[in-house]
Amino acid sequence: MNEQYVWDLHQVDETRVAVVGGKAAHLGALSRIEGVHVPGGFCVTTKAFRRIIEQTPRARDLLDRLSRVDTDDREAIRTLSARIRRTVEAAPVPEDLAAEITRALARSGEGAAHAVRSSATAEDRPTASFAGQQDTYLNVVGPAAVLRHISRCWASLFTERAVTYRQRHGIDHRTVHMAVVVQQMVFPDASGILFTADPVTGHRKVATVDAGFGLGEALVSGLVNPDVFTVRDGEVVSRAISAKQRAVTALPAGGTQEVLIESQRQRQPALTDDQAVRLVELGRRIEAHFECPQDIEWCLADGDFRIVQSRPITTLFPVPESGDRDNHVYVSVGHGQMMTDPMKSLGFSMWQLTAMVPMHEAGGRLFVDVTQRLASPTSRAALLDALGKGDPLVRDALETVLDRGDFVPSLPDPDPAGRPPGGAPAPIETDRAVVGRLIERSRTSLAALEREIRTKSGPALFDHLLEAFEEHKRIVGDPLSMQAIMAGMEATWWLNDKLGEWLGEKNAADTLTLSAPDNVTSEMGLALLDVADVVRPLPEVVAFLRGVEDDGDFLEELAKLPGGPEARDAIEAYLDRYGMRCVGEIDITRPRWRERPGALVPAILDNVRNFEAGAAERRFELGRQRARQKEQDVLARLRAQADGDRKADETKRMIDRVRTFIGYREYPKYDIVSRYSLYKQALMGEAERLVRAGVLTEREDVFHLTFQEFHEVVRSNRTLDPQLVQQREEAFRAHHALTPPRVLTSDGEALTGAYRRDDVPPGALVGVPVSAGTVEGRARVVLDIAEADLEAGDILVTAFTDPSWSPLFVGIAGLVTEVGGLMTHGAVIAREYGLPTVVGVAEATRLIRDGRRIRVHGTDGFVEILD
């Protein structure tokens, strides 16, 4: 195809995005789909735009300056983008280009009206639609007006909203070019938008049609509320007909006008049900062609539908691949692991290979298919009970699916005669030696891994890692380990249930578990207080740490200061024990504290400021005494009751049991992350070798490969395709914009669940009570642990807390999170430290503004905003 400035739409398709932009490429592809009618027209290519920029030095200079502006500098973005727009719009269109456009316009006939529409190379992507970011001009009449509006479309690439959108998606402004679509104008009776999947629930089998009279601008601008038709399985299942008082129509001489609709017509539907169904059938053809749900702009003229745009719906959460057409129900892994951020390819593939159950990736997150367990009554009840204790919202979401009665197959319980002999294993004894043996077994296995992995490289390393993953799963799935974990959890539930029944106390186990032994995560938080004790008397060290960035290794410089060697040794000792941890630690690609010790500095400085020497020991001892006093109080009150000696004896056994085992709940995660650290060191050594061999450009490129793909690159020693890495990087950035649901179906329906409670004050934010007590304080909304700046008495409000957040817990008065359950890591440590805590508070980081005073009801599970 010749390099020309003007191409007919029927000449282009998705392969020509670089030449004609996303909108034109999609329109060209749409025109090839049988039964889909697209208004005819042509495209002014990106070559014309580049020519305009090249012949305008001021535009190039301003564009270079814009590309260096910080994303948060709104004033600079506003100023520079406005200057670029004015410069581009004022640039003269070369005579030969104007002549080529005029010849194309003549094919439509003299006086024909056109729509002039922007078509940027970065828009209508599967991961970023850029909907509404550039301009469209309707009913443009005459060559002079068309040329003027083409210049406006070029300039619209630099509206403030378009510039900000690109920056947030990591797209360099200098790599994006603008084409312009010029189409024959359609004068419709009705127009609107079709979503081939429900844009709210994500349900892929439900389509919604928004419709209004006249041109679609009335709907897009919010001038009128549309009629809304919901279509499923070839029929309209619901409709909402609005009073459409206004419409936008075309003016004879060009442009558009707003008109009043006669009163008797205002409540008439813009479409019939048959027309809505027919439109959805067209939408399904378009969706099948592009292989993803579509946001489609349509017009109805003379009884015929014209499609004027189709783009991917980028806000839908992806559906896991199942390999079949059966119904599936998936539960989020991230909500259980307290890490709902997306993971890179190496991260989720490593978790899949080391997990105890099959896991399915979607949107950079992992999900477990629970369909089979929901199918039979016994396994269903056990699953709902277990998940409900962890996160009531997950249970509610699953029950919502089950209540429909037609999605999950119903299977009978297994034949009792076919069950394995022996029944359930005998309960584990209440013996701390059991925990000691488990920890020693883990350490021995970990030491063997560390010795052996050092001797491996190349393909042999990957073979060894696959064997190591089996040992990993054997340790994590050790029946004795599982018994110990369940013993602590079941004793907690027993105490809360029975003491609630016998004494009327809520969450009594929260106090009884304070300062429980063998909790490696709570020890991690207290150990950082000991580091602060070393740093506090060293003013030059404290001043130095205040200038440390979170992404650097500062320890060598620290040692040069007075007192620096002692401070460095204290931090190094901490890293030797806990340096494998980090925020989002289930993703192996995240930088560990050992790799980026600066991430610990804010917490160390907070501890220096907020505590006195010896705080760790005092805090632990105070918790132990409170637990002991609570035990004595509970037992005395029980013995005063009828049948009190039996109740007290049973309670004493359960208190001993919970204090024996509840701390071990945190150890398996510590073991997993310790192994991950060793895996990562070995894999990054291979990545460095590949960089030296010219196979990789950067060693972190392997983060965007699955483990299996990394293995193949090492085996073949072939240069990695940089385009694959770029695509994965773009997808990863796009995944950050998606909110993972707690429950997801194979139809794409995302369910978050509801609490369904009526026992909270009006306006309170509802959550799960996981650590008893009530506290008032200043809310500090923290989304990045490295940016935490906490004072004594503050209440931490954040999205989620995995174990790496526990060093912050020692200095706060309460905790609120958006994700979590009764036995997730944050809840366990909150109870260890005696922090009133409510988790699972939807949108807490948005609804609670930083600095507001709030009251956390950790016993009853709600948060009040006080000012």
Side-chain angles (χ1 to χ4, degrees):
M1 192 175 293
N2 295 329
E3 275 292 337
Q4 57 196 57
Y5 290 120
V6 175
W7 287 0
D8 284 338
L9 278 179
H10 70 263
Q11 292 179 282
V12 303
D13 58 21
E14 301 101 318
T15 65
R16 301 292 179 180
V17 170
V19 179
V20 299
K23 185 181 282 103
H26 276 70
L27 287 168
L30 283 166
S31 67
R32 289 169 163 75
I33 302 173
E34 184 179 355
V36 175
H37 298 151
V38 176
F42 60 89
C43 180
V44 182
T45 67
T46 55
K47 181 183 178 184
F49 171 80
R50 291 198 303 272
R51 182 174 170 185
I52 294 295
I53 297 297
E54 287 165 5
Q55 73 179 25
T56 314
R58 176 170 169 75
R60 294 200 306 274
D61 175 63
L62 290 168
L63 185 53
D64 286 340
R65 290 169 58 187
L66 180 64
S67 297
R68 295 191 295 270
V69 169
D70 187 271
T71 306
D72 296 325
D73 191 344
R74 298 296 298 275
E75 184 57 36
I77 291 172
R78 183 179 300 113
T79 302
L80 284 171
S81 58
R83 288 177 182 172
I84 297 173
R85 286 197 308 278
R86 288 195 298 269
T87 302
V88 171
E89 199 168 333
V93 178
E95 289 185 10
D96 59 324
L97 173 56
E100 193 172 342
I101 293 170
T102 301
R103 286 195 297 271
L105 287 170
R107 292 195 288 268
S108 300
E110 187 176 349
H114 293 84
V116 182
R117 315 174 70 197
S118 306
S119 180
T121 54
E123 69 183 359
D124 292 350
R125 297 177 174 194
T127 57
S129 75
F130 285 74
Q133 298 305 313
Q134 278 88 47
D135 289 347
T136 290
Y137 301 97
L138 300 178
N139 198 32
V140 181
V141 179
V146 169
L147 287 170
R148 187 166 60 251
H149 286 86
I150 287 173
S151 291
R152 290 180 178 176
C153 284
W154 287 332
S156 76
L157 188 64
F158 304 105
T159 61
E160 183 183 349
R161 66 181 183 273
V163 168
T164 303
Y165 191 92
R166 285 196 296 273
Q167 286 187 310
R168 288 176 178 169
H169 283 78
I171 298 169
D172 188 334
H173 306 297
R174 293 165 296 188
T175 66
V176 181
H177 305 296
M178 179 67 82
V180 181
V181 178
V182 181
Q183 284 179 283
Q184 295 170 13
M185 187 67 192
V186 177
F187 303 100
D189 302 311
S191 58
I193 300 169
L194 160 64
F195 294 98
T196 63
D198 190 311
V200 177
T201 69
H203 203 303
R204 303 308 200 265
K205 293 182 178 178
V206 174
T208 63
V209 178
D210 289 3
F213 295 126
L215 294 167
E217 296 305 293
L219 301 188
V220 173
S221 64
L223 186 63
V224 298
N225 291 324
D227 297 339
V228 180
F229 299 83
T230 303
V231 179
R232 180 172 184 175
D233 297 330
E235 64 176 310
V236 174
V237 295
S238 71
R239 70 186 63 74
I241 307 304
S242 300
K244 300 170 288 298
Q245 297 177 341
R246 290 176 170 81
V248 173
T249 63
L251 287 166
T256 61
Q257 65 177 347
E258 178 186 322
V259 298
L260 287 172
I261 296 174
E262 53 272 26
S263 58
Q264 67 271 21
R265 191 174 171 231
Q266 289 177 4
R267 286 199 171 273
Q268 290 179 7
L271 294 178
T272 66
D273 284 4
D274 287 345
Q275 287 173 327
V277 169
R278 181 155 58 92
L279 177 59
V280 170
E281 289 172 353
L282 280 177
R284 294 294 179 212
R285 290 189 206 171
I286 296 169
E287 178 184 69
H289 176 86
F290 291 116
E291 297 182 336
C292 65
Q294 297 287 299
D295 165 359
I296 299 168
E297 294 181 23
W298 57 269
C299 297
L300 179 66
D302 301 322
D304 185 26
F305 284 108
R306 316 287 175 85
I307 304 301
V308 296
Q309 187 162 320
S310 184
R311 62 171 72 93
I313 307 175
T314 59
T315 57
L316 300 178
F317 201 87
V319 179
E321 294 284 345
S322 65
D324 58 43
R325 294 181 174 274
D326 296 339
N327 289 346
H328 295 271
V329 181
Y330 303 96
V331 171
S332 166
V333 172
H335 285 81
Q337 290 294 331
M338 298 294 285
M339 209 292 278
T340 55
D341 286 348
M343 292 192 280
K344 294 177 182 175
S345 299
L346 187 61
F348 67 68
S349 66
M350 289 284 286
W351 195 260
Q352 286 172 312
L353 287 166
T354 53
M356 302 304 295
V357 296
M359 293 187 175
H360 307 266
E361 183 272 336
R365 281 79 167 189
L366 291 172
F367 295 83
V368 174
D369 187 343
V370 296
T371 317
Q372 287 300 112
R373 294 185 64 185
L374 289 173
S376 63
T378 300
S379 61
R380 179 191 311 142
L383 179 70
L384 292 174
D385 183 58
L387 293 177
K389 284 176 177 173
D391 186 340
L393 293 178
V394 172
R395 175 171 186 149
D396 184 79
L398 290 174
E399 288 177 334
T400 299
V401 176
L402 291 168
D403 287 346
R404 293 171 184 161
D406 61 351
F407 191 81
V408 176
S410 182
L411 301 175
D413 281 331
D415 183 356
R419 291 177 179 169
I428 191 173
E429 293 183 25
T430 303
D431 183 358
R432 281 196 63 190
V434 171
V435 173
R437 288 198 300 274
L438 287 167
I439 292 174
E440 185 57 34
R441 192 180 303 177
S442 166
R443 289 173 176 166
T444 301
S445 173
L446 197 60
L449 172 64
E450 188 170 11
R451 285 193 309 272
E452 294 165 8
I453 205 168
R454 289 174 180 167
T455 66
K456 310 296 180 185
S457 64
L461 169 65
F462 287 81
D463 293 338
H464 178 70
L465 284 172
L466 290 171
E467 295 175 6
F469 297 162
E470 294 307 309
E471 168 70 1
H472 177 127
K473 289 189 279 190
R474 188 188 69 78
I475 290 291
V476 173
D478 183 337
L480 185 63
S481 177
M482 299 304 295
Q483 282 180 291
I485 292 169
M486 290 308 300
M489 293 169 68
E490 288 169 352
T492 300
W493 297 331
W494 189 96
L495 287 167
N496 282 336
D497 289 346
K498 291 299 184 181
L499 296 182
E501 176 187 342
W502 294 338
L503 298 176
E505 286 210 18
K506 289 183 178 180
N507 304 324
D510 294 358
T511 306
L512 294 167
T513 56
L514 289 171
S515 298
D518 301 313
N519 189 318
V520 69
T521 306
S522 65
E523 290 167 4
M524 178 171 69
L526 296 175
L528 205 63
L529 287 173
D530 292 334
V531 173
D533 286 352
V534 177
V535 170
R536 190 177 293 104
L538 305 172
E540 292 187 58
V541 168
V542 172
F544 171 79
L545 291 178
R546 286 180 181 139
V548 167
E549 299 291 336
D550 74 314
D551 59 351
D553 186 346
F554 59 91
L555 295 173
E556 191 173 322
E557 289 299 314
L558 174 64
K560 298 175 184 177
L561 300 172
E566 295 89 339
R568 179 199 59 191
D569 291 347
I571 294 172
E572 285 280 9
Y574 186 87
L575 292 172
D576 287 343
R577 182 81 197 276
Y578 304 111
M580 78 294 291
R581 311 216 81 150
C582 67
V583 174
E585 60 193 10
I586 69 171
D587 182 353
I588 198 171
T589 71
R590 293 286 189 102
R592 311 285 126 176
W593 288 341
R594 170 55 76 184
E595 300 170 68
R596 194 176 287 177
L600 290 170
V601 169
I604 294 172
L605 291 174
D606 283 347
N607 289 345
V608 167
R609 183 174 63 247
N610 297 330
F611 293 93
E612 296 180 354
E617 184 176 351
R618 288 195 302 274
R619 188 183 189 99
F620 186 83
E621 180 58 25
L622 178 62
R624 196 186 64 78
Q625 290 177 7
R626 286 182 59 199
R628 179 63 179 161
Q629 291 165 359
K630 184 69 173 180
E631 176 183 333
Q632 293 171 344
D633 172 67
V634 163
L635 296 179
R637 289 161 63 196
L638 286 174
R639 288 196 173 97
Q641 295 183 354
D643 199 20
D645 287 341
R646 177 188 64 80
K647 293 176 180 176
D649 289 346
E650 287 183 20
T651 300
K652 171 61 175 168
R653 284 196 297 273
M654 284 299 175
I655 292 173
D656 290 345
R657 195 164 178 78
V658 79
R659 292 194 64 80
T660 297
F661 293 115
I662 198 64
Y664 179 72
R665 163 76 178 83
E666 292 294 298
Y667 199 86
K669 184 71 170 288
Y670 177 79
D671 176 88
I672 289 171
V673 177
S674 297
R675 291 173 188 276
Y676 265 44
S677 182
L678 295 175
Y679 302 154
K680 183 176 186 180
Q681 291 172 37
L683 290 171
M684 296 317 290
E686 281 303 300
E688 288 170 0
R689 183 185 67 78
L690 292 173
V691 170
R692 291 194 299 270
V695 176
L696 297 180
T697 303
E698 303 284 347
R699 69 175 197 154
E700 286 77 15
D701 287 351
V702 299
F703 292 164
H704 293 292
L705 302 178
T706 65
F707 178 86
Q708 298 84 346
E709 290 168 340
F710 190 1
H711 189 178
E712 178 58 24
V713 169
V714 169
R715 189 195 63 76
S716 67
N717 219 38
R718 292 178 183 168
T719 302
L720 182 63
D721 180 3
Q723 195 168 15
L724 173 64
V725 174
Q726 182 181 351
Q727 289 170 351
R728 296 275 175 87
E729 285 178 342
E730 288 183 6
F732 178 68
R733 282 195 295 267
H735 291 158
H736 273 282
L738 301 174
T739 301
R742 284 175 165 81
V743 172
L744 182 66
T745 73
S746 50
D747 283 346
E749 187 176 10
L751 299 105
T752 56
Y755 287 112
R756 308 184 193 284
R757 289 176 55 183
D758 56 8
D759 59 341
V760 298
L765 307 179
V766 183
V768 181
V770 297
S771 185
T774 301
V775 65
E776 285 186 23
R778 178 180 66 162
R780 295 313 308 263
V781 179
V782 179
L783 300 179
D784 183 345
I785 190 173
E787 297 177 0
D789 182 15
L790 300 167
E791 300 282 353
D794 283 347
I795 297 170
L796 175 61
V797 180
T798 190
F800 57 80
T801 58
D802 60 11
S804 68
W805 286 72
S806 63
L808 297 187
F809 287 14
V810 298
I812 58 176
L815 174 66
V816 179
T817 70
E818 295 179 342
V819 176
L822 188 62
M823 283 297 168
T824 48
H825 298 277
V828 171
I829 304 308
R831 289 194 291 274
E832 283 276 331
Y833 289 164
L835 297 176
T837 299
V838 181
V839 301
V841 180
E843 299 189 272
T845 58
R846 185 182 67 83
L847 298 173
I848 301 173
R849 291 204 305 272
D850 186 59
R852 296 285 294 270
R853 285 197 65 78
I854 61 173
R855 182 182 296 127
V856 177
H857 295 262
T859 305
D860 296 307
F862 62 90
V863 179
E864 292 179 284
I865 300 173
L866 301 179
D867 57 7

